[in-house]
Amino acid sequence: QSVLTQPPSVSGAPGQRVTMSCTGSSPNIGASSDVHWYQQLPGKAPKLLIFGNTNRPSGVPDRFSGSKSGTSASLAITGLQAEDEADYYCQSYDSSLSASVFGGGTKLTVL
Amino acid sequence: EVQLVESGGGLVQPGGSLRISCVASGFIFSDYYMTWVRQAPGKGLEWVGRSANKGDNYITNYAASVKGRFTISRDASGNSLHLLMNSLKIEDTAVYYCVRENWYYYQYWGQGTLVTVSP
Protein backbone atom coordinates (compact mmCIF):
# COMPACT_ATOMS: atom_id res chain seq x y z
CA GLN A 1 0.00 0.00 0.00
CA SER A 2 1.67 3.20 -1.19
CA VAL A 3 1.48 6.42 0.81
CA LEU A 4 0.56 8.27 -2.40
CA THR A 5 -2.36 6.83 -4.37
CA GLN A 6 -2.37 6.67 -8.16
CA PRO A 7 -4.87 4.97 -10.49
CA PRO A 8 -3.38 1.70 -11.78
CA SER A 9 -4.04 2.55 -15.41
CA VAL A 10 -5.23 5.22 -17.81
CA SER A 11 -5.56 5.13 -21.57
CA GLY A 12 -6.11 7.42 -24.51
CA ALA A 13 -5.97 7.57 -28.26
CA PRO A 14 -3.15 9.30 -30.14
CA GLY A 15 -3.63 13.05 -30.11
CA GLN A 16 -5.92 13.02 -27.10
CA ARG A 17 -5.36 14.54 -23.66
CA VAL A 18 -5.07 12.33 -20.59
CA THR A 19 -4.68 13.14 -16.94
CA MET A 20 -3.63 11.04 -14.00
CA SER A 21 -3.97 11.79 -10.33
CA CYS A 22 -1.78 11.42 -7.26
CA THR A 23 -3.57 11.62 -3.92
CA GLY A 24 -1.76 12.10 -0.65
CA SER A 25 -2.56 13.40 2.82
CA SER A 26 -1.65 16.04 5.35
CA PRO A 27 1.90 14.83 6.19
CA ASN A 28 2.99 14.87 2.54
CA ILE A 29 1.25 16.71 -0.31
CA GLY A 30 -1.09 18.46 2.12
CA ALA A 31 1.87 19.73 4.13
CA SER A 32 3.02 21.76 1.13
CA SER A 33 5.62 19.21 0.10
CA ASP A 34 6.32 19.46 -3.60
CA VAL A 35 5.19 16.73 -5.98
CA HIS A 36 7.47 15.36 -8.67
CA TRP A 37 6.69 13.04 -11.57
CA TYR A 38 8.75 10.37 -13.32
CA GLN A 39 8.27 8.47 -16.55
CA GLN A 40 9.52 4.90 -16.79
CA LEU A 41 9.62 3.37 -20.24
CA PRO A 42 9.58 -0.44 -20.41
CA GLY A 43 12.89 -1.90 -19.27
CA LYS A 44 14.41 1.50 -18.56
CA ALA A 45 15.34 3.56 -15.51
CA PRO A 46 12.86 6.24 -14.43
CA LYS A 47 13.29 9.73 -15.90
CA LEU A 48 12.39 13.00 -14.21
CA LEU A 49 9.38 14.52 -15.97
CA ILE A 50 8.07 17.26 -13.65
CA PHE A 51 9.68 18.74 -10.53
CA GLY A 52 8.35 21.19 -7.98
CA ASN A 53 4.71 20.49 -8.96
CA THR A 54 4.77 22.31 -12.30
CA ASN A 55 8.32 22.59 -13.66
CA ARG A 56 9.69 20.70 -16.64
CA PRO A 57 13.41 19.82 -16.89
CA SER A 58 15.16 20.86 -20.03
CA GLY A 59 14.25 18.55 -22.89
CA VAL A 60 10.83 17.50 -21.61
CA PRO A 61 8.15 18.53 -24.14
CA ASP A 62 5.54 21.07 -23.07
CA ARG A 63 2.89 18.43 -23.79
CA PHE A 64 3.57 17.33 -20.21
CA SER A 65 2.29 19.52 -17.38
CA GLY A 66 1.77 19.17 -13.65
CA SER A 67 -0.50 20.76 -11.11
CA LYS A 68 -1.16 20.51 -7.40
CA SER A 69 -4.10 21.43 -5.19
CA GLY A 70 -4.65 20.58 -1.55
CA THR A 71 -3.67 16.98 -0.93
CA SER A 72 -3.60 15.96 -4.61
CA ALA A 73 -1.59 16.49 -7.74
CA SER A 74 -2.15 15.73 -11.40
CA LEU A 75 -0.10 15.05 -14.48
CA ALA A 76 -1.58 15.97 -17.85
CA ILE A 77 -0.34 14.85 -21.24
CA THR A 78 -1.71 16.51 -24.36
CA GLY A 79 -1.26 15.41 -27.96
CA LEU A 80 -0.77 11.83 -26.84
CA GLN A 81 1.88 9.90 -28.78
CA ALA A 82 2.70 6.20 -28.98
CA GLU A 83 6.06 6.79 -27.28
CA ASP A 84 4.29 8.14 -24.20
CA GLU A 85 3.22 4.60 -23.33
CA ALA A 86 4.97 4.04 -20.02
CA ASP A 87 4.57 3.88 -16.26
CA TYR A 88 4.26 7.20 -14.45
CA TYR A 89 5.12 7.74 -10.79
CA CYS A 90 4.48 10.65 -8.46
CA GLN A 91 6.78 11.36 -5.52
CA SER A 92 6.81 13.69 -2.53
CA TYR A 93 8.25 14.00 0.97
CA ASP A 94 6.38 12.77 4.03
CA SER A 95 7.17 14.67 7.21
CA SER A 96 5.65 12.06 9.53
CA LEU A 97 7.77 9.29 8.02
CA SER A 98 10.80 11.54 7.45
CA ALA A 99 11.07 9.81 4.12
CA SER A 100 10.53 10.30 0.45
CA VAL A 101 7.41 8.50 -0.78
CA PHE A 102 6.24 7.31 -4.19
CA GLY A 103 2.86 6.53 -5.62
CA GLY A 104 2.20 3.02 -6.83
CA GLY A 105 2.44 4.10 -10.45
CA THR A 106 0.01 4.53 -13.33
CA LYS A 107 0.38 2.57 -16.54
CA LEU A 108 -0.48 4.67 -19.56
CA THR A 109 -1.72 2.79 -22.61
CA VAL A 110 -1.92 4.57 -25.96
CA LEU A 111 -4.74 2.94 -27.86
CA GLU B 1 27.48 14.84 -18.70
CA VAL B 2 26.21 13.33 -15.46
CA GLN B 3 26.70 9.56 -15.30
CA LEU B 4 25.85 7.10 -12.55
CA VAL B 5 26.96 3.50 -12.98
CA GLU B 6 25.93 0.84 -10.48
CA SER B 7 27.63 -2.48 -9.96
CA GLY B 8 27.82 -5.37 -7.55
CA GLY B 9 24.37 -6.88 -7.85
CA GLY B 10 23.86 -10.61 -7.85
CA LEU B 11 22.34 -13.61 -6.15
CA VAL B 12 22.56 -13.93 -2.37
CA GLN B 13 20.91 -16.24 0.14
CA PRO B 14 18.45 -14.99 2.74
CA GLY B 15 20.34 -13.71 5.76
CA GLY B 16 23.38 -12.93 3.66
CA SER B 17 25.13 -9.68 2.86
CA LEU B 18 25.95 -7.78 -0.31
CA ARG B 19 27.52 -4.43 -1.12
CA ILE B 20 26.55 -2.58 -4.25
CA SER B 21 28.31 0.49 -5.56
CA CYS B 22 27.72 3.48 -7.79
CA VAL B 23 30.43 5.44 -9.57
CA ALA B 24 29.48 9.03 -10.33
CA SER B 25 30.97 11.37 -12.91
CA GLY B 26 30.22 14.68 -14.58
CA PHE B 27 29.55 16.67 -11.41
CA ILE B 28 31.10 17.52 -8.06
CA PHE B 29 30.05 14.43 -6.12
CA SER B 30 30.54 15.93 -2.65
CA ASP B 31 28.13 18.80 -3.44
CA TYR B 32 25.09 16.59 -3.88
CA TYR B 33 22.76 14.43 -1.83
CA MET B 34 22.73 10.90 -3.21
CA THR B 35 19.88 8.42 -2.87
CA TRP B 36 19.16 4.74 -3.41
CA VAL B 37 15.76 3.80 -4.85
CA ARG B 38 14.70 0.20 -5.48
CA GLN B 39 12.08 -1.52 -7.61
CA ALA B 40 10.96 -5.08 -6.94
CA PRO B 41 10.14 -7.13 -10.06
CA GLY B 42 6.88 -5.88 -11.56
CA LYS B 43 6.36 -3.42 -8.72
CA GLY B 44 6.67 0.31 -8.10
CA LEU B 45 9.49 2.50 -6.85
CA GLU B 46 10.58 2.50 -3.20
CA TRP B 47 12.90 4.98 -1.52
CA VAL B 48 15.67 3.14 0.34
CA GLY B 49 17.78 5.91 1.84
CA ARG B 50 20.03 8.87 1.20
CA SER B 51 23.42 10.36 1.97
CA ALA B 52 23.59 14.10 2.52
CA ASN B 53 26.29 16.18 0.88
CA LYS B 54 29.61 17.22 2.40
CA GLY B 55 28.14 20.47 3.69
CA ASP B 56 25.63 18.46 5.71
CA ASN B 57 28.29 16.05 6.92
CA TYR B 58 27.14 13.13 4.77
CA ILE B 59 24.30 12.40 7.21
CA THR B 60 22.33 9.29 6.23
CA ASN B 61 18.62 8.48 6.47
CA TYR B 62 16.86 5.21 5.77
CA ALA B 63 13.42 3.82 5.04
CA ALA B 64 11.85 1.95 7.95
CA SER B 65 11.95 -1.28 5.92
CA VAL B 66 15.76 -1.29 5.76
CA LYS B 67 16.83 0.70 8.83
CA GLY B 68 19.35 -1.21 10.92
CA ARG B 69 20.15 -3.60 8.07
CA PHE B 70 21.37 -1.30 5.27
CA THR B 71 24.20 1.24 5.42
CA ILE B 72 24.95 3.96 2.88
CA SER B 73 28.49 5.28 2.62
CA ARG B 74 30.74 7.26 0.30
CA ASP B 75 34.37 6.85 -0.61
CA ALA B 76 36.37 9.52 1.16
CA SER B 77 38.56 10.16 -1.84
CA GLY B 78 36.58 9.00 -4.82
CA ASN B 79 33.23 9.53 -6.44
CA SER B 80 31.60 6.34 -5.25
CA LEU B 81 28.43 5.65 -3.30
CA HIS B 82 27.93 2.32 -1.62
CA LEU B 83 25.02 0.40 -0.16
CA LEU B 84 25.91 -2.36 2.28
CA MET B 85 22.98 -4.70 2.75
CA ASN B 86 22.98 -7.11 5.68
CA SER B 87 20.42 -9.66 6.89
CA LEU B 88 18.92 -9.74 3.44
CA LYS B 89 15.34 -10.92 3.01
CA ILE B 90 13.56 -12.32 -0.02
CA GLU B 91 11.54 -9.11 -0.17
CA ASP B 92 14.75 -7.12 -0.72
CA THR B 93 14.92 -8.60 -4.22
CA ALA B 94 14.86 -5.60 -6.55
CA VAL B 95 16.68 -3.46 -9.05
CA TYR B 96 18.59 -0.87 -7.03
CA TYR B 97 19.03 2.57 -8.60
CA CYS B 98 21.64 5.13 -7.63
CA VAL B 99 20.15 8.61 -7.94
CA ARG B 100 21.43 12.17 -7.70
CA GLU B 101 19.05 14.20 -5.63
CA ASN B 102 18.18 17.88 -5.96
CA TRP B 103 15.91 19.34 -3.31
CA TYR B 104 14.05 16.10 -2.65
CA TYR B 105 13.54 15.21 -6.29
CA TYR B 106 15.58 12.77 -8.34
CA GLN B 107 17.24 14.39 -11.27
CA TYR B 108 19.61 11.73 -12.56
CA TRP B 109 19.31 7.96 -12.36
CA GLY B 110 21.74 5.12 -12.99
CA GLN B 111 20.76 2.09 -15.04
CA GLY B 112 20.26 -0.03 -11.93
CA THR B 113 21.73 -3.25 -10.59
CA LEU B 114 19.67 -6.35 -9.80
CA VAL B 115 19.88 -7.91 -6.36
CA THR B 116 18.20 -11.31 -6.02
CA VAL B 117 17.70 -12.84 -2.59
CA SER B 118 16.83 -16.52 -2.92
CA PRO B 119 17.65 -19.83 -1.17
Side-chain angles (χ1 to χ4, degrees):
Chain A
Q1 193 88 3
S2 301
V3 173
L4 305 180
T5 301
Q6 296 182 251
S9 63
V10 298
S11 62
Q16 283 189 334
R17 177 180 186 267
V18 296
T19 62
M20 57 189 77
S21 61
C22 173
T23 303
S25 57
S26 51
N28 43 72
I29 300 176
S32 299
S33 293
D34 286 340
V35 178
H36 321 291
W37 293 88
Y38 304 86
Q39 177 192 60
Q40 187 175 33
L41 296 170
K44 300 293 187 181
K47 168 192 167 185
L48 179 65
L49 201 62
I50 298 287
F51 66 95
N53 306 314
T54 60
N55 303 290
R56 283 185 310 277
S58 174
V60 173
D62 59 7
R63 300 187 297 105
F64 295 89
S65 63
S67 64
K68 175 190 161 184
S69 178
T71 58
S72 294
S74 289
L75 175 70
I77 309 173
T78 59
L80 205 57
Q81 299 179 4
E83 61 257 36
D84 297 334
E85 192 160 285
D87 293 323
Y88 293 83
Y89 294 91
C90 61
Q91 174 248 322
S92 187
Y93 180 78
D94 191 290
S95 57
S96 67
L97 298 173
S98 297
S100 184
V101 290
F102 286 93
T106 296
K107 182 175 182 59
L108 170 63
T109 300
V110 180
L111 302 170
Chain B
E1 180 195 4
V2 172
Q3 285 196 321
L4 301 167
V5 180
E6 301 96 336
S7 62
L11 176 64
V12 60
Q13 291 189 334
S17 298
L18 192 68
R19 189 178 89 151
I20 60 176
S21 299
C22 166
V23 175
S25 61
F27 64 99
I28 301 173
F29 185 62
S30 58
D31 282 352
Y32 287 87
Y33 279 60
M34 297 296 297
T35 290
W36 288 99
V37 174
R38 69 183 180 183
Q39 186 171 34
K43 302 296 184 183
L45 303 172
E46 181 187 13
W47 179 80
V48 173
R50 74 195 306 215
S51 163
N53 59 14
K54 183 178 181 180
D56 288 331
N57 297 311
Y58 300 129
I59 290 172
T60 53
N61 300 98
Y62 300 92
S65 58
V66 306
K67 195 170 185 178
R69 300 189 298 123
F70 288 14
T71 303
I72 296 172
S73 63
R74 300 189 187 217
D75 270 351
S77 57
N79 291 346
S80 295
L81 181 75
H82 306 289
L83 180 65
L84 175 62
M85 301 177 286
N86 294 324
S87 304
L88 280 161
K89 306 175 181 179
I90 291 176
E91 53 264 37
D92 294 319
T93 294
V95 173
Y96 285 73
Y97 293 104
C98 170
V99 188
R100 194 186 90 171
E101 183 179 323
N102 193 10
W103 291 105
Y104 290 105
Y105 63 89
Y106 306 122
Q107 192 175 16
Y108 294 98
W109 298 65
Q111 85 288 351
T113 187
L114 176 62
V115 173
T116 304
V117 184
S118 180

